[in-house]
Amino acid sequence: LKWGFIGLAGMMVLGFLVGPERVRDLTATARDHVVRNVDEMIDPEVQLANEVKQMQREYPRQIAALRAQVREIDRALDDVTEEMAIAEQVTTLCDADVVGLEVEAEVSPAASLRLQRIVRTRDAYRHRSKLATEEHEALQSERRRVTTELASLEQESRDFQMQVAILEREIESLQRT
């Protein structure tokens, strides 16, 4: 505890004399030097084995993240597909109502107002349908991109696992000889 306070006081005095930027740079340089020295003490085989283990853990995480993305896109596609179907049904119903009211609207102001509302509703749902179709196409494109990336990553993972297995067999063979 005593040395901690002395060190803190020393850093404060040093910071006051040379400025906080230089103290930060000195600390970063010292840290890099210590890390380099520690890295040099670690056996290269141990370091390589640790890196391989880290990569073996990373592939499943990345694959799971991409699969989750695909599921999310699929849910969004389902929602947009439903929205497109609803918009199409409303548009069809409105078209039928327009046909039935056109003749009546010529003689009845109330029918004319109703016809105008139905036409506005139909136009709004046509616009919704168009937007939903565009979103559907964008989602399909995104799904193709993500599934291609997923397939590539899965193949890369399989290739990596195969290389690791080959290396492990070679290491075992070398250790026996």
Side-chain angles (χ1 to χ4, degrees):
L1 188 64
K2 175 181 169 184
W3 290 108
F5 284 125
I6 291 172
L8 180 62
M11 291 298 281
M12 289 174 58
V13 169
L14 188 63
F16 180 73
L17 293 174
V18 298
E21 296 84 19
R22 288 192 179 110
V23 171
R24 186 175 43 249
D25 293 343
L26 177 65
T27 304
T29 301
R31 180 186 178 281
D32 291 344
H33 183 68
V34 169
V35 167
R36 240 188 337 272
N37 286 337
V38 168
D39 283 347
E40 289 173 4
M41 288 185 242
I42 297 173
D43 189 17
E45 289 103 16
V46 170
Q47 198 170 14
L48 181 60
N50 288 336
E51 288 174 11
V52 167
K53 286 177 186 173
Q54 175 61 32
M55 289 177 73
Q56 285 176 316
R57 287 189 301 267
E58 193 58 35
Y59 275 115
R61 284 187 207 132
Q62 291 178 359
I63 289 170
L66 287 175
R67 286 181 178 157
Q69 263 187 302
V70 169
R71 285 190 302 274
E72 186 178 313
I73 292 169
D74 285 342
R75 281 191 293 275
L77 277 167
D78 290 344
D79 292 345
V80 170
T81 300
E82 184 178 343
E83 189 175 326
M84 289 168 52
I86 290 169
E88 187 62 37
Q89 289 173 346
V90 171
T91 301
T92 300
L93 291 172
C94 287
D95 284 341
D97 288 347
V98 165
V99 169
L101 282 175
E102 284 179 328
V103 174
E104 189 179 334
E106 291 176 8
V107 294
S108 167
S112 178
L113 288 173
R114 185 164 180 236
L115 178 63
Q116 290 173 5
R117 279 196 318 265
I118 291 171
V119 168
R120 281 194 304 269
T121 300
R122 179 189 63 191
D123 292 346
Y125 274 89
R126 279 185 181 161
H127 183 67
R128 280 186 183 181
S129 178
K130 180 181 177 236
L131 293 177
T133 300
E134 291 169 358
E135 184 176 356
H136 192 270
E137 290 169 1
L139 285 168
Q140 284 179 322
S141 174
E142 179 68 8
R143 188 180 193 289
R144 282 190 298 274
R145 185 193 66 76
V146 173
T147 54
T148 299
E149 186 177 341
L150 175 60
S152 174
L153 189 62
E154 288 172 334
Q155 183 61 48
E156 186 179 315
S157 176
R158 284 190 296 274
D159 292 346
F160 177 74
Q161 292 300 332
M162 192 174 8
Q163 291 295 326
V164 167
I166 291 169
L167 284 173
E168 287 174 347
R169 283 193 299 273
E170 288 178 5
I171 290 170
E172 288 173 8
S173 173
L174 289 173
Q175 288 175 341
R176 279 186 248 132
T177 59

